Amino acid sequence: MRKKKQKIQPPRCPYCGRNAVLRDASYVYGDHVYKEGQKLYVCAGYPSCNSYVGVHMGSLRPKGSLANGELRNKRIRAHKAFDAVWHEGILSRKEAYHWLQDITGLDEQHAHIAMFSDYRCDQVIEACNQVLRNHNKQEVA
Ligand SMILES: [Zn+2]
């Protein structure tokens, strides 16, 4: 079978409907780029629409959906809470990712915090903190 070449469309901004533009990360981060070659999909309306998402290194694939400042912060918090569950050794990293699918009802392809909405992030933070509490570990704020 011939492999179809996948064309990747730039994602659309969920806040204003404009297309995102592939940019070097320095466009947003200035001198604070921590990985060379890092790219972002940035809303064409940036900075008045403060919405962007990271791109998998060496590809054109966005890591998730575009997010504004509030959602980006929430995703970071959700990731911290989730990582704490396996950093604390309550589950292995692999088990933790399966558990994330269980608690969200999402499959492997969609159970990624970078794709999560505000609501989904709250759900993950709550579930992770419950597990941490039950194991007498420090909750993640
Ligand atoms: Zn936008």
Side-chain angles (χ1 to χ4, degrees):
M1 244 203 305
R2 256 183 71 192
K3 222 176 163 186
K4 246 198 229 160
K5 205 171 174 192
Q6 238 190 354
K7 199 173 175 230
I8 295 178
Q9 296 278 358
R12 203 173 273 279
C13 174
Y15 304 101
C16 73
R18 292 184 183 97
N19 276 324
V21 183
L22 189 67
R23 304 265 194 200
D24 201 78
S26 62
Y27 184 77
V28 169
Y29 301 144
D31 293 335
H32 303 285
V33 180
Y34 42 87
K35 253 192 240 161
E36 210 165 319
Q38 177 69 62
K39 303 265 189 223
L40 302 171
Y41 279 111
V42 182
C43 174
Y46 183 88
S48 67
C49 183
N50 175 17
S51 164
Y52 56 86
V53 68
V55 176
H56 287 285
M57 283 301 256
S59 83
L60 296 176
R61 279 187 308 123
K63 287 183 176 167
S65 59
L66 271 77
N68 64 12
E70 198 182 329
L71 182 54
R72 288 194 302 271
N73 279 331
K74 206 156 241 194
R75 284 176 178 170
I76 289 167
R77 282 177 51 212
H79 232 300
K80 273 189 189 151
F82 175 73
D83 289 345
V85 169
W86 60 271
H87 284 164
E88 291 285 3
I90 297 167
L91 297 171
S92 71
R93 185 169 186 270
K94 196 175 166 199
E95 286 167 341
Y97 274 94
H98 280 290
W99 174 71
L100 185 62
Q101 294 170 36
D102 292 342
I103 60 169
T104 57
L106 296 169
D107 62 21
E108 198 180 345
Q109 214 187 335
H110 296 98
H112 294 287
I113 291 169
M115 298 177 184
F116 285 1
S117 63
D118 203 73
Y119 161 80
R120 205 57 101 182
C121 290
D122 281 335
Q123 187 191 6
V124 170
I125 294 165
E126 175 58 36
C128 292
N129 278 331
Q130 195 179 328
V131 166
L132 291 165
R133 266 199 308 276
N134 288 340
H135 288 263
N136 298 315
K137 306 287 184 191
Q138 175 103 46
E139 287 183 45
V140 176

Coordinates of all heavy atoms in Angstrom, one line a residue, residues 12-19 42-46 48-51 66, ligand 1:
R12 N -6.6 26.2 13.9 CA -7.3 27.4 13.9 C -7.4 27.9 15.4 O -7.5 27.0 16.3 CB -8.7 27.2 13.4 CG -9.5 28.4 12.9 CD -10.7 28.0 12.2 NE -10.6 27.7 10.8 CZ -10.5 28.6 9.9 NH1 -10.6 29.9 10.1 NH2 -10.4 28.2 8.6
C13 N -7.4 29.2 15.6 CA -7.5 29.7 17.0 C -9.0 29.5 17.5 O -9.9 30.0 16.9 CB -7.1 31.1 17.1 SG -7.4 31.9 18.7
P14 N -9.1 28.8 18.7 CA -10.5 28.6 19.2 C -11.1 29.9 19.8 O -12.3 29.9 20.0 CB -10.3 27.5 20.3 CG -8.9 27.7 20.7 CD -8.1 28.2 19.5
Y15 N -10.3 30.9 20.0 CA -10.8 32.1 20.7 C -11.3 33.1 19.7 O -12.2 33.9 19.9 CB -9.7 32.7 21.6 CG -9.2 31.7 22.6 CD1 -8.0 31.1 22.4 CD2 -10.0 31.4 23.7 CE1 -7.6 30.2 23.3 CE2 -9.5 30.5 24.6 CZ -8.3 29.9 24.4 OH -7.9 28.9 25.3
C16 N -10.6 33.2 18.5 CA -11.0 34.3 17.5 C -11.3 33.7 16.1 O -11.7 34.5 15.3 CB -9.9 35.3 17.5 SG -8.4 34.8 16.7
G17 N -11.0 32.4 15.9 CA -11.3 31.9 14.6 C -10.2 32.1 13.5 O -10.3 31.6 12.4
R18 N -9.2 32.9 13.8 CA -8.1 33.1 12.9 C -7.3 31.8 12.7 O -7.2 31.0 13.7 CB -7.2 34.2 13.3 CG -7.8 35.6 13.3 CD -6.7 36.6 13.6 NE -7.2 38.0 13.7 CZ -7.5 38.6 14.9 NH1 -7.4 37.9 16.0 NH2 -7.9 39.8 14.9
N19 N -6.5 31.7 11.6 CA -5.6 30.6 11.5 C -4.4 30.9 12.4 O -4.0 32.1 12.6 CB -5.2 30.4 10.1 CG -6.1 29.6 9.3 OD1 -6.7 28.6 9.9 ND2 -6.3 29.9 8.1
V42 N 1.2 30.1 16.4 CA 0.7 31.3 17.1 C -0.5 31.9 16.4 O -0.4 32.0 15.1 CB 1.9 32.4 17.2 CG1 1.4 33.6 17.9 CG2 3.1 31.8 17.8
C43 N -1.5 32.3 17.1 CA -2.7 32.9 16.5 C -2.2 34.1 15.6 O -1.4 34.9 16.0 CB -3.7 33.4 17.5 SG -5.0 34.3 16.9
A44 N -2.8 34.2 14.4 CA -2.5 35.3 13.5 C -2.8 36.7 14.2 O -2.3 37.7 13.8 CB -3.2 35.2 12.2
G45 N -3.7 36.7 15.2 CA -4.0 37.9 15.9 C -3.1 38.2 17.1 O -3.4 39.2 17.8
Y46 N -2.1 37.4 17.3 CA -1.2 37.6 18.4 C -0.5 39.0 18.2 O -0.2 39.3 17.1 CB -0.1 36.5 18.5 CG 0.8 36.6 19.6 CD1 0.5 36.0 20.9 CD2 2.0 37.3 19.5 CE1 1.4 36.1 21.9 CE2 2.9 37.4 20.6 CZ 2.6 36.8 21.8 OH 3.4 36.9 22.9
S48 N -2.7 40.6 20.4 CA -4.0 41.0 21.0 C -4.8 39.8 21.3 O -5.5 39.7 22.2 CB -4.7 42.0 20.0 OG -5.1 41.3 18.8
C49 N -4.6 38.7 20.5 CA -5.2 37.4 20.9 C -4.0 36.6 21.3 O -3.2 36.1 20.5 CB -5.9 36.7 19.7 SG -6.6 35.2 20.2
N50 N -3.9 36.4 22.6 CA -2.7 35.7 23.2 C -2.9 34.2 23.3 O -3.1 33.6 24.3 CB -2.6 36.3 24.7 CG -1.4 35.6 25.4 OD1 -0.6 35.0 24.8 ND2 -1.5 35.8 26.7
S51 N -2.7 33.6 22.1 CA -3.1 32.2 22.0 C -2.1 31.5 21.1 O -1.7 31.9 20.0 CB -4.5 32.1 21.3 OG -4.8 30.9 20.9
L66 N -4.6 25.3 20.5 CA -4.1 26.6 20.9 C -4.7 27.0 22.2 O -5.9 26.7 22.5 CB -4.5 27.7 19.9 CG -3.4 27.9 18.8 CD1 -3.5 26.8 17.7 CD2 -3.6 29.3 18.1
Ligands
ZN1 ZN -6.9 34.0 18.2

